[in-house]
Amino acid sequence: MEFIEQLKLKASQNKKRIVLPEGLEERTLKAADVILGEGFAEIILIGNPEKVKTEAGKMGLQNIDKATVVDPENHDKLDSYTDLMVEIRKSKGLTKEDALQLIKNPLFLAVMMIKAGDADGEVAGADNATGDVLRPAFQYVKTAPGISVVSGAFIMILKDKEFGEDGMMVFADCAVHPNPTAEELAEIAVSTGQTTRAIAGFEPKIAMLSFSTKGSAKHEMVDKVVKATELAKQQAPDMKIEGELQSDAAIIPAIGQKKAPGSEIAGQANVLVFPTLETGNIAYKLVQRMGHAEAIGPILQGMAAPINDLSRGCSVSDIVNLVAITANQAAGTV
Ligand code: ACO
């Protein structure tokens, strides 16, 4: 069975409520219809109920009446959500008037539904930029206990089955945090290991990537990766983590043996942790385009509740797939 089909099956065994704040967006409505038809998650759409019904009717969608539709202009939780917003952000000077303005924005309403326990996860971004999706999540849902930084992982399904776990690898951070410190990079590595176990479903062998292998180059950027590797090993002694490694030493057995003799991970890595967002984002897109790999994600990791951001160029099936991943995260696996 295909990877995504397995995730849908797991999600359908413990159905979670996923809020889609872009409830009038065409691909989102079509994706909601598919998900409700397949029945692997409950869907909450944010949007004017009449407009949702009209749009769904125009598109001939059959299952949208199974969704819960929340009108951002008229719902009975306005007071409780805005009180909660003020409580969370009063140290930042947020007033009730500010909160009443913000809550009109479906991206803020969605995170407050999660915070108040009225939804289990969110998928957005078909119609909004990454920063606009992430900021409300960072401000109100915040990071998971013990985590200070949210990052984004991609599950890469490669044509060449020699690499990773039968052609499957996990790359991070490819989506969120531009220039992590050594401490933050260590957290990203551990979060990525957890995502690998919970979503990709295999035991991580994590390579902390650099332009140096085991001291072959000296530079402060190399020092950062060496320190991050040490910290990550301390934080997750049960995970296999190795650094610093160049990418060829990480994934090609003969080169791994030569450059890092005796390493359990060099040449065998199935998780690549990049030193910066620039390297991670560039690398995943090159592998996706030039290597014709499937890139599933970004899967946001380290957030207190599952919230995932789509690319604005996403397809209906990208949305369906990310809801399947989010529902699995919400089921408590990450
Ligand atoms: N993890 C956790 N919290 C964070 C993070 C993070 N990585 N980054 C910012 N925050 C928090 C801040 O601490 C702050 O909290 P506070 O208001 O309670 O003090 C809040 O989020 C807002 O922080 P800002 O600094 O105002 O937010 P910023 O403007 O830096 O935006 C953002 C954060 C949007 C994630 C920014 O880092 C960014 O643009 N990253 C790049 C995203 C991107 O473009 N990715 C590539 C495209 S995606 C793709 O190709 C798949």
Side-chain angles (χ1 to χ4, degrees):
M1 195 190 294
E2 267 198 36
F3 171 64
I4 284 292
E5 295 310 315
Q6 286 174 12
L7 288 181
K8 287 180 182 174
L9 188 64
K10 271 204 277 177
S12 60
Q13 285 156 5
N14 183 6
K15 275 199 203 179
K16 294 293 167 188
R17 300 159 300 169
I18 307 302
V19 57
L20 306 177
E22 296 155 330
L24 290 167
E25 196 277 329
E26 185 179 339
R27 290 159 299 168
T28 303
L29 268 175
K30 287 182 176 165
D33 190 65
V34 172
I35 297 158
L36 292 163
E38 295 185 5
F40 66 84
E42 291 178 22
I43 292 295
I44 303 166
L45 292 167
I46 299 184
N48 177 287
E50 281 309 310
K51 286 189 186 157
V52 167
K53 202 170 164 186
T54 309
E55 290 305 311
K58 277 192 222 159
M59 288 180 239
L61 305 180
Q62 302 294 316
N63 302 301
I64 290 296
D65 56 352
K66 294 184 204 154
T68 303
V69 182
V70 175
D71 187 347
E73 301 287 336
N74 181 20
H75 58 91
D76 58 9
K77 298 285 181 83
L78 188 67
D79 224 34
S80 62
Y81 289 169
T82 48
D83 283 348
L84 186 55
M85 290 174 85
V86 173
E87 193 186 313
I88 295 169
R89 301 287 292 176
K90 59 176 177 273
S91 64
K92 301 276 178 183
L94 190 89
T95 63
K96 181 87 173 173
E97 290 73 47
D98 299 331
L100 284 164
Q101 280 305 314
L102 288 174
I103 201 76
K104 290 181 190 162
N105 177 337
L107 295 168
F108 281 87
L109 179 54
V111 298
M112 293 321 293
M113 292 183 75
I114 293 174
K115 193 70 194 169
D118 295 330
D120 302 308
E122 174 193 347
V123 171
D127 217 12
N128 285 281
T130 297
D132 295 333
V133 174
L134 294 188
R135 250 178 242 107
F138 289 164
Q139 290 173 354
Y140 293 94
V141 173
K142 300 188 186 274
T143 52
I147 300 282
S148 67
V149 68
V150 170
S151 53
F154 276 88
I155 294 177
M156 304 297 296
I157 301 182
L158 308 167
K159 293 261 180 240
D160 192 335
K161 304 297 171 205
E162 274 175 32
F163 294 115
E165 209 67 17
D166 197 25
M168 200 187 286
M169 297 193 76
V170 181
F171 287 11
D173 174 13
C174 305
V176 184
H177 201 51
N179 194 10
T181 62
E183 289 73 15
E184 290 171 336
L185 191 58
E187 270 187 22
I188 291 170
V190 175
S191 294
T192 310
Q194 288 163 350
T195 298
T196 303
R197 282 178 177 157
I199 303 290
F202 54 81
E203 192 51 30
K205 286 181 243 163
I206 303 173
M208 304 291 286
L209 295 185
S210 172
F211 56 84
S212 165
T213 299
K214 296 288 176 187
S216 65
K218 306 272 175 240
H219 193 277
E220 63 190 34
M221 291 162 93
V222 178
D223 297 341
K224 176 177 102 168
V225 178
V226 171
K227 186 172 172 195
T229 306
E230 281 316 305
L231 293 170
K233 284 180 176 174
Q234 285 165 21
Q235 284 168 25
D238 65 324
M239 268 184 209
K240 289 185 176 160
I241 304 170
E242 178 83 272
E244 86 290 8
L245 294 173
Q246 286 161 287
S247 53
D248 56 356
I251 60 169
I252 308 286
I255 300 176
Q257 287 288 311
K258 193 168 177 187
K259 292 188 175 181
S263 163
E264 264 190 286
I265 293 169
Q268 310 289 332
N270 54 25
V271 175
L272 302 183
V273 173
F274 295 88
T276 60
L277 178 56
E278 265 179 333
T279 50
N281 187 269
I282 291 167
Y284 105 78
K285 285 181 191 286
L286 285 180
V287 173
Q288 180 187 29
R289 300 291 169 183
M290 295 170 76
H292 304 286
E294 192 180 345
I296 299 173
I299 302 166
L300 292 191
Q301 42 188 28
M303 199 90 82
I307 294 174
N308 284 307
D309 172 46
L310 294 155
S311 155
R312 275 176 288 177
C314 66
S315 64
V316 172
S317 71
D318 290 335
I319 304 176
V320 173
N321 292 349
L322 204 54
V323 170
I325 287 173
T326 309
N328 274 275
Q329 289 177 297
T333 46
V334 195

